[in-house]
């Protein structure tokens, strides 16, 4: 049942550079049907949360230039709920902005913060985790994060260590946060049994998070306290243009979650992936052929002696691959990229090199 005190903030400002060349700065990953499902990632995220709270309680924080894309893809989204960022300043400023704005409207709000571009395969289990978290934050001064029960010693995720005993069903006090570890450390984490992957999904009530900002990031908090008189008025956009220039670039993890004493985690299993790379898309796709190839959207692909590849090319283009094993083959507009899956972490550096050598044209 919908609760009018429940709100969702969907963060949709990233540029998704690891999904270049399909994800470009003017039309990034969250607005693309990366998985070939018929829905873009942000459409899937919005639809998922419509069962959690009324659609008019769903907010978006995004680059000012992406406002029109959100309206085009999500006609249900209210104009006043699309918060435009003039510059990128990481997650702490955007969360402070959204939570201050919502708190002015409803001081009793409990708020979910979620990325726009993650995959959730088990939607019912996800919604149960979110609802339990919202109920707990309604009556407690907790900052809750969802932790994913790890299936392997992955070095691409941050980890959350938690205490094994708790008076609250399914929720445990957080002991430590660790950024992406090396493989040996990740193996130690998995063996210990008290570490989870950090999914970057948060739940809290408005008062708790604003107190946390006041204590741990007072300089950012003060900026948005000043803006309280402008929120939900015609002067809000002009205020935000200057406010963001004064904000430092810092994540909510570094700025608040790693410092706060009242952080709890809910161990969760709901088929989660942050879809951070082409290889992660390859991993979650179930419709591989008998030698492990994944073809997304491409209609005319002929493969000889090729295995374990992911191919995404224009539907009208005939593509012939011979002798490739474990490659990413992606074409979009005026760019073709062929890259080893095992070395795809180099894509960010490739994008940087392209920018240096050819300017912004291909980004």
């Amino acid at each position: 049942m919908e609760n009018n005190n429940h709100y969702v903030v969907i963060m949709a400002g990233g540029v998704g550079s690891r999904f270049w060349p399909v994800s470009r700065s003017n039309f990034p990953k969250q607005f693309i049907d990366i998985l070939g499902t018929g829905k873009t990632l942000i459409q899937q995220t919005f639809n998922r949360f419509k069962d959690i709270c009324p659609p008019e309680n769903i907010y978006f924080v995004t680059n000012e230039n992406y406002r029109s894309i959100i309206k085009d893809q999500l006609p249900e989204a209210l104009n006043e709920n699309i918060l435009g960022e003039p510059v990128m300043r990481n997650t702490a400023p955007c969360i402070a902005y959204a939570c201050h704005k919502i708190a002015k409207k409803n001081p009793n709000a409990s708020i979910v913060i979620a990325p726009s571009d993650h995959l959730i395969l088990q939607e019912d289990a996800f919604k149960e985790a979110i609802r339990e978290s919202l109920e707990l934050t309604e009556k407690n001064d907790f900052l809750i994060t969802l932790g994913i029960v790890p299936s392997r010693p992955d070095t691409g995720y941050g980890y959350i260590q938690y205490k094994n005993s708790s008076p609250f069903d399914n929720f445990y006090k957080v002991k430590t946060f660790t950024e992406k570890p090396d493989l040996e450390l990740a193996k130690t984490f998995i063996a210990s049994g008290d570490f989870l992957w950090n999914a970057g999904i948060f739940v809290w009530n408005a008062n708790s998070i604003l107190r946390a900002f006041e204590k741990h990031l007072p300089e950012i908090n003060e900026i948005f306290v000043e803006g309280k008189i402008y929120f939900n008025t015609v002067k809000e956009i002009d205020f935000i243009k200057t406010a963001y220039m004064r904000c430092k670039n810092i994540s909510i993890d570094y700025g608040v979650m790693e410092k706060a004493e009242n952080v709890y985690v809910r161990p969760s299993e709901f088929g989660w992936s942050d879809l951070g790379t082409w290889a992660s898309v390859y991993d979650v796709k179930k419709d591989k052929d008998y030698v492990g190839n994944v073809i997304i959207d491409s209609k005319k692909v002929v493969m000889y002696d090729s295995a374990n590849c992911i191919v995404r090319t224009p539907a009208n283009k005939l593509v012939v691959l011979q002798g490739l094993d474990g490659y990413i083959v992606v074409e979009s507009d005026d760019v073709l990229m062929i890259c080893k899956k095992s070395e795809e972490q180099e894509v960010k550096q490739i994008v940087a090199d392209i920018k240096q050598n050819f300017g912004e044209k291909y980004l």
Side-chain angles (χ1 to χ4, degrees), residues 159-277:
Y159 284 74
I160 301 168
Q161 185 185 26
Y162 63 98
K163 296 180 179 178
N164 285 314
S165 60
S166 173
F168 305 100
D169 291 343
N170 298 329
F171 293 87
Y172 302 88
K173 192 84 179 286
V174 170
K175 290 169 68 175
T176 63
F177 286 89
T178 304
E179 273 305 299
K180 300 171 183 176
D182 61 31
L183 184 57
E184 288 308 309
L185 189 55
K187 287 178 179 177
T188 303
F189 288 170
I190 300 300
S192 75
D194 59 354
F195 282 82
L196 304 164
W197 288 338
N198 187 350
I201 302 169
F202 310 104
V203 187
W204 40 55
N205 68 54
N207 293 318
S208 293
I209 188 59
L210 296 190
R211 275 196 297 269
F213 271 110
E214 186 178 9
K215 182 176 181 179
H216 303 295
L217 283 177
E219 64 282 11
I220 286 179
N221 189 61
E222 286 165 14
I223 291 169
F224 292 102
V225 167
E226 289 173 24
K228 193 171 181 180
I229 59 172
Y230 304 117
F231 293 146
N232 310 314
T233 75
V234 293
K235 295 183 178 180
E236 180 175 336
I237 292 176
D238 285 338
F239 166 77
I240 289 300
K241 285 178 183 175
T242 57
Y244 261 70
M245 298 304 173
R246 296 160 57 199
C247 290
K248 65 179 178 181
N249 188 318
I250 187 168
S251 72
I252 193 71
D253 297 270
Y254 283 124
V256 174
M257 302 301 282
E258 293 182 13
K259 299 174 183 175
E261 296 292 323
N262 57 334
V263 179
Y264 281 74
V265 65
R266 185 192 189 279
S268 305
E269 293 182 271
F270 40 69
W272 172 88
S273 170
D274 71 345
L275 292 180
T277 61

Side-chain angles (χ1 to χ4, degrees), residues 8-16 23 28-35 39-49 58-63 66 69-70 73-74 85 91 94 112-120 123 126 199-201 272-276:
V8 172
V9 176
I10 297 172
M11 298 182 291
V15 295
S23 178
K29 163 192 171 190
Q30 58 269 29
F31 305 119
I32 298 169
D33 179 11
I34 289 284
L35 296 166
K39 296 280 187 187
T40 67
L41 294 177
I42 197 169
Q43 287 172 330
Q44 291 184 45
T45 303
F46 180 73
N47 289 340
R48 190 177 301 134
F49 281 116
I58 300 178
Y59 285 70
F60 303 84
V61 187
T62 190
N63 186 299
Y66 303 154
I69 304 176
I70 291 179
Q73 294 197 358
L74 298 168
E85 296 182 285
T91 53
C94 86
V112 181
I113 309 289
S116 59
D117 52 4
H118 288 187
L119 174 69
I120 307 292
E123 303 243 337
F126 173 77
I201 302 169
W272 172 88
S273 170
D274 71 345
L275 292 180

Side-chain angles (χ1 to χ4, degrees), residues 295-313:
I295 298 171
I296 302 174
D297 289 345
S298 312
K299 305 298 183 188
K300 303 173 183 175
V301 179
V302 183
M303 307 181 95
Y304 300 93
D305 303 320
S306 295
N308 308 309
C309 295
I310 179 168
V311 182
R312 192 183 195 275
T313 55

